[in-house]
Amino acid sequence: MLIFALGLRNLRAHRAKSVVVGFIMLGGSFLVVVALALLDGAEQAMERSVTGSLAGDFQLYDADARDPLVLLGSAFISVADVGRIEHYEEVQAALESTPEVQAVVPMGFDVGSIGIPGPLDQALTELRALARQGASTASVAQVVHGVRELVGELSTELKTRRAVAADPGRLAQQEATLAALAEDGFWNHLSEAPLAGLERLDTEVAPLADNGIEILFRYLGTDLDRFRSRFSGFELVKGMFVPTGKRGFLFSDRLYERRLKHSVARGLDELLEHAENGQAIADDPRQRARVHRVVSQWRHIARQLDPRESEAVRQVLSSELSLEGELPELLEAFLSVDDKNLRRRRELFYLEIAPRVELYSLRPGDTVTLRSFTRRGFLRSVNVIFYGTYSFRGLENSDLAGVYNLTDLETFRYLFGVMNPAEQAELDALRAEVGIEDLAVDEVEDALFGDGAPEVVAASEPSSFGAVGTEVFEGAKERGLDHRIATGALERGLVLNVAVLLAPGVRRDNGRRAIERALDAAGLELNISDWQASSGLIGQFIVVVRLVLYAAMGIIFLVAIIIINNALVTTTLERTHEIGTLRAMGAQRREVLLMFFLETLVLALAATGLGAAAGAGLVTWWGSQGLPAPSRGLEFVFGGPALYPNLLARHVVSAAGVIVSVGLLSTVYPAWLGARVPPVEAMQFEE
């Protein structure tokens, strides 16, 4: 008790040292509590993002896969070879009877593309449709006006290209072709009898124009109803959900906004997005380049406006800019935004201009042609209805959460190379008609060169897509597919991977063991990948951050140990007389050691309490108000626009353990010096 009382007196007597050391310990405990709470909160939020948006708690895939399953985190649009699960119904039957499993969702992922026609092709297609429908002359004239604008732009582009071309002869000939269309008579006649003039535009002008763009993207085939119901973050943004039992396609809303939106609207959106992330137009050359690009696209607005709409927009812009002029110069001035007027002009664009133009290249309800290569390298295409767009709640601005577009599982299987029943029946009929026989490999030579050889021989080893040579029947004409899905088709057949969601309250390690037992009992050999492994580098992000933070904290605490040690050594030297007196009075070395450690322990506990309380207060406030994500790229890690960390008891316990350990470790050398002070030091000090 006396040693404890002396320790408290010494802390008061050496206030300066106590304040310095205590402040370091307080800051350390504050740092530990806040850092651990943020790390655990980010890990939990990221786990919710991954498991609730795509991966589930576990992913199952072929045990013989050449590559590991990685759904997220790849910087390139590529497809890993994860093998295949030929009979999904067996996996479903094995797992859905397992109490620990709440649901399984069949999946298959690949890379596909759609083609977006160029502006001239789109305009000609629209004009052709109006002509066939017998639309009014006014409606036709509006489209003809847009076509004429596009032809004029094409002529200007050819002149620019001819000026820098090494061989301008061909371009000059193309210019002459367009110049022949400059007369008003052709366009007036086109408005009155569009079908007659369309042939000339199709044959002479369309080949000179931009062929449009090919949009490459990742897509996920799944049971759409099950996907929507099991991944709670799913929400429809535009259009409607694919009806049950129908084929269909859903764009990721993020991709839809980035790739299929009107170029001016998309440019204004990007400017505002980067401005909200702290990139000012006045200071950032990339922002100024974006402004220049938006201004250069004013024609994409003008050519979609008929004369009446052009005048209405001109008046709006003239009033907004307090400037008189023609529409082209007003549009250029309006789109030359700066930091002060960006938000206002973007709002005005969506209010006054967007309703008058085609805001998206594709609209919900349009039929799109999806194209993808089978694993054998043959291109397949299929027409499906684009029903709408989707996102995941809280992750609307995350590119990672919107990396996949969705289609039904049957469409995925078709693009992957699996034959549907009608194709299989057609193939069987052709095989029977030409007399094809299935032969084992060791029988081929005898069949070819021996007696009774059949006219046509095919190897008997069937492909996983159906029968050998499937693609040869895809032929010249485009195949359309019935938009209905056969009853029970989604529950059987080929998938590449299966998402497994655990029942509420089931620990992940217990769930994994239950899945392993169920698969073993069913004789299924599949890899089991947890959410971190399935998300690739994204899933390892928190692990890397945790290691980096621990390393940084280790360096900080090493410096703290040195500082505290120096402060205590200095204080020990100042207390030589006091320690010598205690020794002269009979105090043992272990009692002197105990006194030093008690002083440090009391100081560490007091400082840890204050630091942990401050850290807990900050974490609690963040937990209620949210810590905003510093950039949209981190919204996936934060689980949304803001992170809401939770304070756990182990955060405070860990802070106390770390700070007390650092303090006691810093005290070892000073305490050892103090314990070595002999009693004679007290008498020498008196002399």
Side-chain angles (χ1 to χ4, degrees), residues 73-327:
S74 174
F76 304 98
I77 296 185
S78 59
V79 180
D81 184 356
V82 298
R84 65 197 69 196
I85 301 173
E86 297 289 354
H87 302 287
Y88 163 67
E89 62 273 16
E90 297 177 358
V91 180
Q92 183 181 27
L95 294 183
E96 288 195 337
S97 60
T98 304
E100 290 82 358
V101 174
Q102 182 184 48
V104 294
V105 181
M107 293 181 174
F109 56 93
D110 209 337
V111 172
S113 67
I114 60 170
I116 303 298
L120 182 59
D121 284 338
Q122 292 183 37
L124 293 179
T125 300
E126 184 179 0
L127 181 59
R128 189 177 296 105
L130 290 175
R132 289 172 177 171
Q133 294 168 8
S136 65
T137 303
S139 300
V140 173
Q142 178 180 346
V143 179
V144 168
H145 172 75
V147 173
R148 188 172 187 179
E149 289 288 329
L150 289 168
V151 172
E153 291 178 23
L154 179 58
S155 180
T156 302
E157 180 185 344
L158 290 177
K159 290 178 181 178
T160 303
R161 289 163 55 189
R162 184 164 62 88
V164 297
D167 182 15
R170 182 175 57 86
L171 294 176
Q173 184 178 359
Q174 294 174 354
E175 279 187 62
T177 300
L178 297 182
L181 299 176
E183 298 295 332
D184 292 339
F186 171 78
W187 299 103
N188 293 336
H189 180 68
L190 184 65
S191 298
E192 297 170 359
L195 290 178
L198 271 171
E199 182 178 355
R200 185 174 179 184
L201 291 173
D202 284 334
T203 57
E204 297 181 10
V205 180
L208 307 180
D210 180 12
N211 291 324
I213 58 173
E214 189 84 3
I215 298 179
L216 197 65
F217 54 82
R218 295 185 178 97
Y219 67 93
L220 183 77
T222 185
D223 181 335
L224 292 172
D225 287 329
R226 184 174 288 241
F227 186 94
R228 176 177 61 169
S229 63
R230 295 307 181 183
F231 291 105
S232 57
F234 178 93
E235 62 180 3
L236 193 70
V237 180
K238 299 178 181 72
M240 62 177 287
F241 192 74
V242 180
T244 300
K246 297 286 188 180
R247 297 177 184 271
F249 185 79
L250 296 175
F251 270 115
S252 156
D253 193 66
R254 188 72 170 163
L255 181 139
Y256 187 66
E257 291 288 320
R258 288 286 185 90
R259 303 296 302 277
L260 296 170
K261 200 171 190 178
H262 192 287
S263 57
V264 174
R266 184 171 67 247
L268 292 173
D269 292 345
E270 290 178 356
L271 281 168
L272 182 60
E273 179 179 334
H274 289 287
E276 291 177 343
N277 286 335
Q279 298 180 24
I281 296 173
D283 303 327
D284 194 323
R286 293 169 298 179
Q287 281 285 77
R288 293 195 293 273
R290 293 185 184 103
V291 172
H292 177 74
R293 187 163 58 248
V294 169
V295 173
S296 68
Q297 294 168 344
W298 65 267
R299 291 182 180 85
H300 296 183
I301 296 174
R303 67 168 174 246
Q304 294 189 31
L305 303 175
D306 63 23
R308 180 180 55 81
E309 291 173 330
S310 296
E311 178 59 23
V313 171
R314 192 195 68 79
Q315 292 180 7
V316 169
L317 298 185
S318 178
S319 174
E320 172 67 19
L321 300 171
S322 300
L323 180 69
E324 290 296 329
E326 296 301 319
L327 181 62

Side-chain angles (χ1 to χ4, degrees), residues 28 39 87 170 268 334 367 386 505 658 671:
L39 276 174
H87 302 287
R170 182 175 57 86
L268 292 173
F334 175 74
T367 297
F386 161 45
V658 170

Side-chain angles (χ1 to χ4, degrees), residues 595-606:
M595 180 180 67
F596 272 88
F597 283 119
L598 282 174
E599 291 175 14
T600 300
L601 181 61
V602 170
L603 185 60
L605 291 176

